[in-house]
Amino acid sequence: MTERIVLAYSGGLDTSVAIGWIGEATGAEVIAVAVDVGQGGESLETIRQRALGCGAVEAYVADASDEFANEYCMPTLKANGLYQGHYPLVSAISRPVIVKHLVKAAREFGATTVAHGCTGKGNDQVRFEVGIQTLGPDLKCIAPVRDLALTRDKAIAFAEEKGLPIETTKKNPYSIDQNVWGRAVETGYLEDIWNGPTKDIYDYTATPEFPPAPDEVIISFEAGIPVAIDGVKVTPLQAIKELNRRAGAQGVGRIDVVEDRLVGIKSREIYEAPGAMALITAHKHLEDITVEREQARFKATVGQRWSELVYDGQWFSPLKRSLEAFIEDTQKYVSGDIRMTLHGGQAVVNGRRSDTSLYDFNLATYDTGDTFDQSQAKGFIELWGMSAKVASGRDIRVAGK
Ligand code: ARG
């Protein structure tokens, strides 16, 4: 029987050419797998037809946008997942969901190998292949750009020679990856890290310099998950989309960073994640009133480690699962409403209310109604400083000798 290979297919030039390229190089039949993670653009049906037109023997298409929002974006929100404090893990969290569908398709169509369009320099090859190794340990991996010398120029020549139903003339100087959680743009002009991003780079956000009138929004959460916007019930996917629209119109969520790739390269990336950044901001402020101090401090560390694992392609790892058990436990009381103003590139929280809040007005107030016994503070401070005071006494004693 002819060998079969499932290919992660985007519908773009490189993966369209990869279908025939892999076929010629290996003699295998190629099955294209297209997964909708809310990236917008062409319909799955259009993409399926193109895959078949480019020589795929079968096309597997899946609308995974709700799955992606529920099982990938929401855990990221609960963790306040920001790699290096900036990047909301847009591409990093989309790879594992695509991997799930690749493995499913491989089983369905009896494939032995999984192919993807990544280069050998980035994080995504690692995320795909570590994921495949974990979910389908018997499956092999191949990356035509990395392993079969499929360069851009060769791709264009191949498409023209074979008359593939794909545009080869459209010149996009950037490498772009996008889904409902955000958008990542790199390469070209941006590789000089002194160059500021030009306007044409952005798509999810309007320029924050000339914003429309401020937009006030109330986001309601239950156990760390957004459940309503301005009182209207929403699914996680709807919440992200609605905030992409409203926060995007105000230019919220533009990020320009040089980040540390897993492979040891520092690279410049422009992100726009209006919905994700508005949600993370709101969620963090709700945690501020509902999560106990020590839990909250420790959770910040856990969230950072979680983000590193996810960035580094360890989505299916045991440590990530264990950290999630902790994070999940902290979310039990993260319920309530956050009011925020979206304006001029900022999402600023200005009101919060929760039935499970730890904010105690009578403890906090400097006005009448104060129930805090200030006389207790003196003794507390004495003991709190004791250990350092004893040590400093020792330092003085030793220095004096
Ligand atoms: N640097 C980001 C990451 O590794 C995004 C990579 C996405 N690719 C792109 N073509 N911009 O998660």
Side-chain angles (χ1 to χ4, degrees), residues 131-393:
I132 301 286
Q133 279 173 20
T134 317
L135 300 188
D138 54 307
L139 296 169
K140 289 173 287 192
C141 292
I142 188 167
V145 176
R146 183 192 64 192
D147 308 330
L148 304 174
L150 178 56
T151 60
R152 232 320 121 124
D153 293 342
K154 285 194 205 155
I156 292 170
F158 186 92
E160 279 167 2
E161 182 196 319
K162 308 276 171 182
L164 297 183
I166 174 107
E167 224 182 306
T168 53
T169 49
K170 239 200 346 222
K171 253 217 158 104
N172 192 333
Y174 305 113
S175 164
I176 299 168
D177 182 50
Q178 64 187 55
N179 59 56
V180 76
W181 198 239
R183 191 164 171 271
V185 186
E186 63 178 337
T187 71
Y189 166 84
L190 297 169
E191 284 172 357
D192 180 337
I193 59 178
W194 184 249
N195 282 343
T198 46
K199 279 201 201 94
D200 60 308
I201 283 173
Y202 297 105
D203 184 41
Y204 285 14
T205 53
T207 178
E209 281 89 6
F210 309 100
D215 184 4
E216 195 175 87
V217 60
I218 296 173
I219 309 173
S220 308
F221 290 85
E222 261 170 40
I225 299 280
V227 292
I229 291 181
D230 292 333
V232 180
K233 277 187 79 166
V234 286
T235 63
L237 180 64
Q238 288 167 335
I240 302 164
K241 280 187 168 171
E242 171 78 355
L243 288 164
N244 272 344
R245 190 177 63 74
R246 288 171 65 175
Q250 297 283 347
V252 170
R254 289 186 173 185
I255 302 155
D256 178 343
V257 282
V258 174
E259 72 191 29
D260 282 303
R261 281 191 198 160
L262 177 56
V263 296
I265 301 170
K266 284 191 187 289
S267 73
R268 205 288 184 78
E269 195 98 42
I270 305 294
Y271 299 106
E272 35 180 1
M277 294 310 287
L279 280 167
I280 289 172
T281 304
H283 176 259
K284 239 169 146 291
H285 280 255
L286 186 57
E287 286 189 334
D288 289 344
I289 64 164
T290 53
V291 180
E292 184 271 336
R293 183 189 65 201
E294 295 309 312
Q295 245 183 334
R297 289 177 174 178
F298 194 69
K299 182 176 179 282
T301 309
V302 171
Q304 196 183 329
R305 189 74 189 92
W306 184 93
S307 302
E308 288 164 357
L309 287 169
V310 169
Y311 185 88
D312 289 349
Q314 298 288 333
W315 181 269
F316 300 106
S317 74
L319 177 57
K320 177 198 160 263
R321 194 174 62 222
S322 301
L323 297 183
E324 271 173 6
F326 170 83
I327 293 171
E328 198 53 46
D329 186 64
T330 64
Q331 299 301 292
K332 190 169 166 197
Y333 296 116
V334 184
S335 304
D337 301 332
I338 291 293
R339 189 182 60 226
M340 71 195 322
T341 300
L342 310 168
H343 191 60
Q346 306 245 51
V348 179
V349 171
N350 56 31
R352 60 288 274 164
R353 65 183 170 205
S354 166
D355 293 337
T356 44
S357 165
L358 297 170
Y359 178 80
D360 184 333
F361 177 87
N362 294 317
L363 284 178
T365 187
Y366 287 97
D367 298 332
T368 42
D370 188 357
T371 58
F372 186 85
D373 179 0
Q374 296 198 28
S375 71
Q376 306 267 5
K378 215 172 147 55
F380 164 75
I381 295 164
E382 194 66 37
L383 298 188
W384 183 247
M386 181 77 80
S387 175
K389 184 171 152 186
V390 171
S392 122

Side-chain angles (χ1 to χ4, degrees), residues 45-65:
E45 192 45 39
T46 306
I47 293 176
R48 171 209 294 280
Q49 290 309 331
R50 183 170 314 127
L52 297 173
C54 290
V57 292
E58 308 262 12
Y60 167 110
V61 297
D63 177 359
S65 49

